[in-house]
Amino acid sequence: MTLHADDYTAQRSRYDSMTYRRCGASGLDLPAVSLGLWHNFGDDVPLERQRATLRRAFDLGVTHFDLANNYGPPYGSAERNFGTIFAQDFRRYRDELILSTKAGYDMWPGPYGQGGGSRKYLLSSLDQSLQRMGVDYVDIFYSHRFDDTTPLEETMGALDTAVRQGKALYVGISSYSGSRTQEAVRILRDLGTPLLIHQPSYSMLNRWVEEDLLDVLGVEGVGCIAFSPLAQGMLTDKYLKGIPAGSRAAQGKSLDPKMLDETALKHVRALNRIAKARGQSLAQLALAWVLRDERVTSVLIGASSVEQLEDSLGALDNLAFDDTELAKVDQHAVDAGINIWKTSSTS
């Protein structure tokens, strides 16, 4: 079927099957599965494929689309492409959507565009993001990483300003350690802008958040949205027999082929057998496992096709685990050295 702009009407049944969870101690609900536009929404992917994925996601109750200033390639293209599709398909549904963006990594030339947590960089980046997306505000604006060269008070103060300017409804942080998260909570609370949500990497092969971060989020009433719950694609059936052409590993997109050694794949194949015993795909098992913890509000998935999107959403059909299943998973849910955001989360 050929897709045309301006002919999209959302399905009336879009809220019938999605599970929504309350985000920490706030009044905001998020879908248990949210769509991340990190990959597959840059200029290297046809716009019509992007449009089909976004339409199908919303038709299935995915109300949260997550972006960042440097998503692409090239930088900024994911926001720009989303803005094109938003204007044509989703503007009339704006009040049904949660849109988020982030700033923290290098974005434009010169000393003020190299990333970090300065007030200058964060607020300038947010203005640019709003322009690319063609919206007046985002629902959530994140500090994308902890910056140890900038006072945390300055970074959190910039987030507070974004809310007071009406350019963001809520604020979040990403890849902050447990102790830094506690500091951020305190600073924002004193400013009068509560920290809504933390976005950490979390998967069966990357469990660093279990050390103390989840405890901090639970105590402080901060939501959690896990990115890379499929371990950059390792927790899918894609790599069970090697590295296929066109895959993220083959393209050098955040997954180093060296991570796919025989030791890691042995555990992945064992997890795949557990998934089959549950009547799930490996990806569905991985998503359900992250969602087993009530402190996790949502998981962020990427999708290169409508079929991949639908498979991931199938995880919601079976979120329950018994103790025996969890024990079996624990034997193979081991660190695979894939936390490429470790510098930020351990500072």
Side-chain angles (χ1 to χ4, degrees):
M1 180 180 69
T2 302
L3 299 174
H4 299 280
D6 303 317
D7 67 357
Y8 172 65
T9 300
Q11 294 289 332
R12 290 180 178 272
S13 61
R14 60 188 176 276
Y15 297 116
D16 291 354
S17 59
M18 176 56 68
T19 298
Y20 297 89
R21 292 184 171 189
R22 184 56 54 95
C23 190
S26 76
L28 183 67
D29 290 330
L30 292 179
V33 177
S34 300
L35 182 62
L37 278 64
W38 180 17
H39 297 298
N40 306 310
F41 289 85
D43 289 347
D44 57 341
V45 175
L47 194 66
E48 288 310 304
R49 190 195 306 172
Q50 300 178 33
R51 188 191 306 276
T53 301
L54 289 167
R55 286 182 176 185
R56 186 57 176 154
F58 189 55
D59 282 343
L60 292 173
V62 178
T63 54
H64 178 27
F65 300 147
D66 178 78
L67 299 104
N69 58 354
N70 62 349
Y71 286 177
Y75 287 178
S77 60
E79 289 182 328
R80 176 170 40 78
N81 290 334
F82 174 78
T84 297
I85 297 169
F86 172 82
Q88 296 168 347
D89 289 353
F90 293 104
R91 187 173 298 281
R92 58 179 153 162
Y93 301 109
R94 177 65 182 95
D95 292 338
E96 297 183 46
L97 294 173
I98 300 295
L99 305 182
S100 62
T101 195
K102 301 177 284 291
Y105 293 97
D106 68 293
M107 184 60 194
W108 64 87
Y112 313 119
Q114 295 306 300
S118 74
R119 182 179 184 85
K120 169 69 173 176
Y121 171 70
L122 290 176
L123 295 178
S124 296
S125 180
L126 177 56
D127 284 341
Q128 293 176 20
S129 291
L130 295 178
Q131 185 176 27
R132 281 190 291 269
M133 289 190 285
V135 297
D136 296 326
Y137 70 95
V138 290
D139 297 276
I140 308 170
F141 181 49
Y142 287 90
S143 166
H144 206 168
R145 68 176 178 92
F146 175 71
D147 175 16
D148 61 3
T149 69
T150 300
L152 192 56
E153 288 80 4
E154 179 176 344
T155 302
M156 295 303 106
L159 297 184
D160 173 69
T161 295
V163 172
R164 295 184 186 280
Q165 290 178 337
K167 296 176 181 178
L169 299 186
Y170 301 94
V171 298
I173 58 177
S174 179
S175 299
Y176 279 53
S177 67
S179 61
R180 295 299 187 184
T181 297
Q182 285 183 311
E183 290 183 57
V185 167
R186 174 185 56 78
I187 295 168
L188 284 168
R189 185 177 291 143
D190 290 345
L191 290 171
T193 298
L195 180 63
L196 173 77
I197 195 166
H198 189 298
Q199 187 177 134
S201 59
Y202 183 33
S203 72
M204 291 191 291
L205 302 181
N206 179 19
R207 302 177 64 171
W208 72 275
V209 301
E210 297 174 5
E211 295 173 9
D212 67 342
L213 180 60
L214 285 177
D215 289 336
V216 170
L217 300 181
V219 169
E220 299 293 352
V222 176
C224 176
I225 181 166
F227 76 88
S228 288
L230 302 183
Q232 289 99 273
M234 284 181 68
L235 292 171
T236 68
D237 59 8
K238 189 177 298 182
Y239 300 107
L240 295 176
K241 297 181 180 179
I243 302 177
S247 66
R248 188 178 298 187
Q251 297 176 40
K253 287 186 173 181
S254 78
L255 181 58
D256 189 333
K258 294 178 183 177
M259 297 175 181
L260 296 163
D261 60 27
E262 190 55 36
T263 299
L265 289 177
K266 179 180 178 181
H267 291 296
V268 171
R269 292 176 186 128
L271 291 169
N272 187 53
R273 291 192 291 272
I274 295 172
K276 286 185 176 181
R278 284 170 51 86
Q280 292 181 311
S281 68
L282 177 55
Q284 290 169 346
L285 168 70
L287 297 173
W289 182 86
V290 173
L291 288 167
R292 81 198 185 286
D293 193 311
E294 62 182 9
R295 294 168 295 186
V296 176
T297 312
S298 182
V299 290
L300 268 173
I301 63 166
S304 59
S305 65
V306 168
E307 292 74 22
Q308 185 180 3
L309 170 76
E310 292 174 341
D311 178 76
S312 293
L313 291 174
L316 301 178
D317 294 336
N318 185 8
L319 295 177
F321 289 86
D322 59 36
D323 291 341
T324 299
E325 287 176 319
L326 289 175
K328 289 180 179 178
V329 169
D330 274 340
Q331 294 178 29
H332 300 285
V334 298
D335 187 86
I338 58 174
N339 186 5
I340 59 177
W341 309 272
K342 187 174 182 179
T343 299
S344 175
S345 59
T346 56
S347 298

